[in-house]
């Protein structure tokens, strides 16, 4: 008597529906990827162009060093502030293990950047040239960000982070292949890649977003 009703029950479809609802909820509380990639893409382009023109052409750079550094610092600072405010608004009211994971993950970024900056300062104090510092700064920045983002892609089961992290690591390798200050243009290319990734997130989300591991959270 119940055979007709039982045929209509599809456990796989029910589980898929639950997963889709959960994914929509996560996206609703997550920052706008297109916005963040656009902001940081623009920041990287402006910052590394500013630094490049403060060093090139060698001997008669187009910008004073202080101006180039100031442009880079301002671009990154503006990106940090906008990202922090936006992320805080989108994530307000959320609690639980995922919030703790996000806090630890975010603070690890800060600690990695601080240690990298201190290491660069020590290397410069030990006699590393200015051009050597340029090479170290860009490659170490990409190394720390790339490794942590790839790790985060597994922690949060996020394909976008995996692609983003892999791109950052590719930029690190490219920057090491070019002499300073030409390697700073690899940072500009990195920023362009961020913008493209953000556009793909809107126009072709199936290519760059979604879960790495089907059926739930990678860290579960």
């Amino acid at each position: 008597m119940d055979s007709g009703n039982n045929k209509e029950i599809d456990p796989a479809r029910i589980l898929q529906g639950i997963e889709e609802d959960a994914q929509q909820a996560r996206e609703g509380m997550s920052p706008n990827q297109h916005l963040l990639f656009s902001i940081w893409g623009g920041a990287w382009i402006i910052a590394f162009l500013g630094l490049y023109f403060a060093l090139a052409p060698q001997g008669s750079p187009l910008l004073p060093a202080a101006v180039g550094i100031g442009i880079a610092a301002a671009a990154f600072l503006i990106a940090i502030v906008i990202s922090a405010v936006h992320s805080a608004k989108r994530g307000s009211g959320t609690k639980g293990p995922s919030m703790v994971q996000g806090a630890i993950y975010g603070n690890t970024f800060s600690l990695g950047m601080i240690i990298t900056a201190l290491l660069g300062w020590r290397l410069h104090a030990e006699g590393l040239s200015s051009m050597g510092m340029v090479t170290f700064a860009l490659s170490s920045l990409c190394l720390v960000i790339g490794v942590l983002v790839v790790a985060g892609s597994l922690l949060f089961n996020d394909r976008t982070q995996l692609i983003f992290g892999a791109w950052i690591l590719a930029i690190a390798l490219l920057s090491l292949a070019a002499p300073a200050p030409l390697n700073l243009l690899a940072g500009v290319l990195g920023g362009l890649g961020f913008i493209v990734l953000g556009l793909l997130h809107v126009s072709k989300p199936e290519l760059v977003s979604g879960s790495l591991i089907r059926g739930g959270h990678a860290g579960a």
Side-chain angles (χ1 to χ4, degrees):
M1 295 175 61
D2 298 330
S3 57
N5 293 332
N6 288 337
K7 290 181 179 180
E8 297 179 359
I9 299 176
D10 186 347
R13 184 178 299 175
I14 294 174
L15 290 174
Q16 181 181 0
I18 293 174
E19 178 63 22
E20 290 176 353
D21 290 342
Q23 180 65 27
Q24 290 178 359
R26 287 193 294 268
E27 291 177 355
M29 294 183 292
S30 299
N32 185 312
Q33 299 287 348
H34 181 214
L35 174 64
L36 293 185
F37 280 127
S38 298
I39 291 171
W40 280 102
W44 273 53
I45 292 171
I46 293 171
F48 285 110
L49 279 178
L51 292 174
Y52 176 75
F53 288 122
L55 295 171
Q58 295 188 46
S60 57
L62 297 180
L63 293 176
V67 173
I69 294 173
I71 290 174
F76 283 132
L77 182 60
I78 291 172
I80 290 171
V81 171
I82 294 176
S83 300
V85 171
H86 173 69
S87 298
K89 287 183 177 179
R90 291 295 290 266
S92 62
T94 58
K95 296 181 180 180
S98 61
M99 185 177 182
V100 176
Q101 285 178 321
I104 294 174
Y105 184 61
N107 288 329
T108 301
F109 266 96
S110 300
L111 182 60
M113 291 293 99
I114 291 172
I115 292 174
T116 301
L118 291 174
L119 176 58
W121 173 73
R122 288 299 304 161
L123 290 174
H124 187 61
E126 294 295 328
L128 184 64
S129 67
S130 298
M131 290 303 173
M133 278 299 300
V134 170
T135 299
F136 169 79
L138 178 54
S139 60
S140 61
L141 172 70
C142 291
L143 175 63
V144 172
I145 294 176
V147 169
L148 286 175
V149 170
V150 169
S153 70
L154 297 175
L155 177 64
F156 298 106
N157 195 21
D158 185 8
R159 188 191 307 168
T160 300
Q161 289 195 55
L162 178 62
I163 296 172
F164 175 51
W167 174 247
I168 291 289
L169 292 175
I171 292 301
L173 290 173
L174 183 61
S175 73
L176 291 173
L182 191 62
N183 63 336
L184 291 171
L185 296 181
V188 177
L189 180 61
L192 290 172
F194 300 165
I195 293 176
V196 170
L197 183 56
L199 291 174
L200 288 175
H201 204 277
V202 173
S203 60
K204 298 287 185 179
E206 67 278 3
L207 296 178
V208 296
S209 63
S211 301
L212 281 176
I213 302 173
R214 295 289 182 180
H217 197 286

